[in-house]
Amino acid sequence: KRSSTSRLNIEKNDEASNFMFSLIGGTEAFVHQSSSAASVSLKAAPLDDMVGVSVETGDKVFDPLGLAQIHGLIKDDEEHFGVWPSPQWLRESELKHCRVAMLAFVGAIVQSTGVHFPGSLFGQYYEGGKNFISGEALASAFKTCPSGMAQILVTIWLIESKNFPDGAWMGYMDRAPGDFGLNFFNAKNDPAAQLKELKNGRLAMIGIIGLSSAYFIPGSVPFTIPSVN
């Protein structure tokens, strides 16, 4: 019998494992997402009920490594219980990365045309030309524009604290993945709109990785347009 302490420790590790499993979220991406009420647990729902399948994969679930099946296979194994996220958690992670990537890609394209927002906040500015990979850019941002960084962190805190995917790792989240309470154009009840978001988001993740590679390694990505200084 599993102890309540074990379950508590599993839930506490959800956020710490977010980055690692977001990398594999895309391989589970081509499985359907439920468009029914948020109270339906995806832990018990078949993968074929999740939005995501389309003509690209012959209208079939694309999960050649069976990553979306692992959680169900080990749920009764006391030794490995909770070491792998449920499809519900994977879809939540995928949608977050899709949305951020779409914003990032549009931002990169706008910047490449030479359009730059002033970025002034209380007379503070972010310094350009800092290395992001080494951490120099992040340290510089906190030093030269603390008000801007505080604004970003507070916004993230407000969104995440209200919409934290509690229970998603084990498949017990009481809302649909990616549902932040908004329903633009009635998309919450429209599987076709949900599929469009996933497709555009997946393409945006590939696109922003390509643009980043082209920036840090010039010539690594063919057909990319040089940015305008």
Side-chain angles (χ1 to χ4, degrees):
K1 183 179 179 179
R2 307 181 187 94
S3 67
S4 58
T5 302
S6 298
R7 289 181 178 274
L8 180 59
N9 289 336
I10 290 166
E11 294 298 333
K12 286 182 177 179
N13 288 332
D14 284 3
E15 283 298 294
S17 305
N18 183 58
F19 176 74
M20 179 179 71
F21 282 105
S22 69
L23 299 179
I24 64 169
T27 44
E28 186 268 339
F30 295 97
V31 290
H32 287 278
Q33 175 184 347
S34 175
S35 58
S36 58
S39 60
V40 176
S41 171
L42 296 185
K43 180 175 183 289
L47 295 178
D48 288 341
D49 287 341
M50 296 179 71
V51 172
V53 169
S54 190
V55 294
E56 293 85 357
T57 58
D59 293 313
K60 297 179 181 179
V61 172
F62 180 77
D63 186 19
L65 299 180
L67 298 177
Q69 308 291 338
I70 296 177
H71 180 84
L73 294 174
I74 64 175
K75 64 186 173 86
D76 295 322
D77 185 338
E78 185 171 354
E79 181 180 357
H80 300 98
F81 173 70
V83 300
W84 194 266
S86 72
Q88 190 182 45
W89 190 95
L90 291 172
R91 175 49 57 85
E92 174 82 3
S93 177
E94 179 189 21
L95 282 169
K96 282 188 177 182
H97 286 79
C98 280
R99 292 163 179 171
V100 171
M102 286 188 283
L103 291 171
F105 187 84
V106 172
I109 295 300
V110 171
Q111 291 279 316
S112 70
T113 63
V115 177
H116 301 283
F117 295 102
S120 175
L121 187 63
F122 303 115
Q124 301 171 351
Y125 285 85
Y126 293 109
E127 291 182 319
K130 299 297 182 180
N131 192 312
F132 177 79
I133 301 299
S134 68
E136 180 186 23
L138 186 61
S140 173
F142 275 104
K143 180 179 179 181
T144 61
C145 194
S147 298
M149 295 304 293
Q151 184 184 67
I152 293 172
L153 292 176
V154 168
T155 301
I156 293 174
W157 175 76
L158 289 173
I159 294 174
E160 293 294 328
S161 61
K162 184 179 184 300
N163 302 285
F164 180 74
D166 188 32
W169 185 277
M170 301 308 300
Y172 295 121
M173 185 167 63
D174 60 359
R175 61 171 174 80
D179 184 1
F180 286 178
L182 304 176
N183 192 20
F184 296 115
F185 308 108
N186 198 35
K188 187 184 297 187
N189 304 312
D190 185 358
Q194 296 172 19
L195 181 60
K196 289 178 181 179
E197 179 185 29
L198 281 168
K199 284 188 174 184
N200 283 280
R202 292 164 181 168
L203 185 59
M205 286 191 284
I206 296 173
I208 195 61
I209 289 175
L211 292 178
S212 298
S213 298
Y215 177 81
F216 288 107
I217 310 174
S220 62
V221 181
F223 309 117
T224 52
I225 303 174
S227 61
V228 178
N229 295 323

